[in-house]
């Protein structure tokens, strides 16, 4: 089944404790991105990647890092999480940056205490 | 940058009635307008989209209309059913850069049986 998977689905952590949210897609898509969803703000892009080893900042990149060493994986790294990073995170992929249909993962709900 | 406004934020309709959600955007270069449905605990899923050279597109009970002059587009759901209850997001995409999607703030649609 074609899909985007994320792990973990739920995470509660404390301020300053490094964490990684994994994202994997099995559709051989070139373009992947991370979003955060907050009430009243919709989805905002954090980082994106057009292909392996090609990543760039989205609209809200502060406090996040990403890497794209393999085409299928695009992990989101929070080096020193803070409470304002408490949010619902979605990974997404699409065949290429100009392709239409974008597929989203199921989401990761992160709480930083 | 692009700004997408979505209204209403909540909408309740009787089962069988129609529902309309409207979005306005600011960047006249936007050329792709998708609508996503997000069910509880899941990631957004594309339900219909339209390109800037088309004024209307229909897929069974859902339709999208686009007015490029006024810079607004709308989602129409007819003969609503309980399974239509979800959060709906509109989005736009510009044909440059990483062609990221800019999302509206979402509409929570509730179908009353």
């Amino acid at each position: 089944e074609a899909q985007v998977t994320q792990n973990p689905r739920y995470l509660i952590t404390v301020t300053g404790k490094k964490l990684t949210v994994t994202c994997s897609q099995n559709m051989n898509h070139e373009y992947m991105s991370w979003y955060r969803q907050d009430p009243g703000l919709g989805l905002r892009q954090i980082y994106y990647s057009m292909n392996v080893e090609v990543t760039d900042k989205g609209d809200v990149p502060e406090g996040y890092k990403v890497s794209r060493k393999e085409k299928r994986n695009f992990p989101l790294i929070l080096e020193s999480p803070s409470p304002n990073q408490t949010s619902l995170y979605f990974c997404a992929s699409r065949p290429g940056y100009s392709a239409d249909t974008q597929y989203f993962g199921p989401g990761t709900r992160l709480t930083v205490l | 940058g692009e700004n997408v406004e979505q209204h209403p934020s909540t909408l309740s309709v009787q089962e069988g009635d129609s529902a309309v959600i409207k979005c306005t955007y600011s960047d006249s270069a936007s050329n792709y307008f998708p609508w996503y449905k997000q069910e509880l605990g899941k990631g957004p899923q594309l339900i219909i989209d339209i390109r800037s050279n088309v004024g209307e597109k229909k897929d069974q009970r859902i339709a999208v209309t686009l007015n490029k002059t006024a810079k607004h587009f709308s989602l129409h759901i007819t003969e609503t059913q309980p399974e239509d209850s979800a959060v709906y997001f509109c989005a736009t995409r510009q044909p440059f850069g990483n062609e990221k999607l800019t999302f509206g703030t979402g509409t929570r649609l509730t179908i009353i049986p």
Side-chain angles (χ1 to χ4, degrees):
Chain A
E1 179 190 356
Q3 60 183 351
V4 179
T5 57
Q6 294 178 228
N7 282 291
R9 293 290 313 278
Y10 303 90
L11 180 60
I12 301 174
T13 189
V14 295
T15 299
K17 187 177 181 182
K18 180 180 179 180
L19 67 92
T20 299
V21 183
T22 64
C23 172
S24 183
Q25 50 92 6
N26 61 1
M27 296 169 280
N28 201 38
H29 287 172
E30 292 185 347
Y31 185 95
M32 298 184 73
S33 57
W34 277 101
Y35 294 84
R36 61 178 289 172
Q37 182 178 0
D38 301 291
L41 296 177
L43 291 98
R44 295 178 292 167
Q45 190 183 61
I46 303 170
Y47 266 94
Y48 67 93
S49 170
M50 290 203 186
N51 214 325
V52 176
E53 302 291 2
V54 181
T55 64
D56 207 346
K57 297 176 181 179
D59 296 322
V60 288
E62 295 76 23
Y64 305 95
K65 285 176 55 178
V66 293
S67 69
R68 188 92 181 271
K69 293 183 170 54
E70 305 166 284
K71 200 170 189 178
R72 63 184 295 127
N73 297 323
F74 189 44
L76 179 69
I77 303 157
L78 284 73
E79 294 269 4
S80 182
S82 62
N84 64 12
Q85 292 178 299
T86 292
S87 187
L88 180 58
Y89 292 87
F90 289 101
C91 180
S93 75
R94 62 187 197 233
Y97 71 91
S98 61
D100 287 348
T101 305
Q102 180 155 286
Y103 299 85
F104 284 84
T108 295
R109 185 165 292 282
L110 172 65
T111 301
V112 183
L113 302 175
Chain B
E2 171 77 302
N3 181 47
V4 179
E5 294 189 358
Q6 183 172 345
H7 298 281
S9 57
T10 61
L11 179 62
S12 295
V13 300
Q14 289 290 141
E15 182 178 352
D17 288 349
S18 296
V20 180
I21 303 170
K22 184 175 178 178
C23 288
T24 61
Y25 61 98
S26 60
D27 192 337
S28 57
S30 295
N31 65 353
Y32 175 67
F33 307 89
W35 284 91
Y36 284 83
K37 176 183 181 182
Q38 185 178 12
E39 297 176 324
L40 196 62
K42 297 183 179 180
Q45 183 176 14
L46 180 71
I47 55 171
I48 196 167
D49 56 8
I50 193 169
R51 288 195 166 275
S52 58
N53 58 349
V54 176
E56 183 174 356
K57 183 176 179 181
K58 189 174 182 179
D59 183 4
Q60 298 183 355
R61 295 187 299 108
I62 60 173
V64 55
T65 58
L66 172 65
N67 183 326
K68 284 218 71 178
T69 303
K71 288 191 273 189
H72 68 71
F73 58 112
S74 300
L75 177 70
H76 304 254
I77 306 174
T78 59
E79 300 173 13
T80 52
Q81 301 170 1
E83 54 264 36
D84 295 329
S85 293
V87 178
Y88 292 82
F89 290 96
C90 64
T92 68
R93 194 177 78 198
Q94 297 77 51
F96 46 80
N98 82 105
E99 300 202 25
K100 72 177 178 73
L101 293 172
T102 301
F103 285 85
T105 51
T107 297
R108 181 173 298 279
L109 174 63
T110 302
I111 307 302
I112 304 166

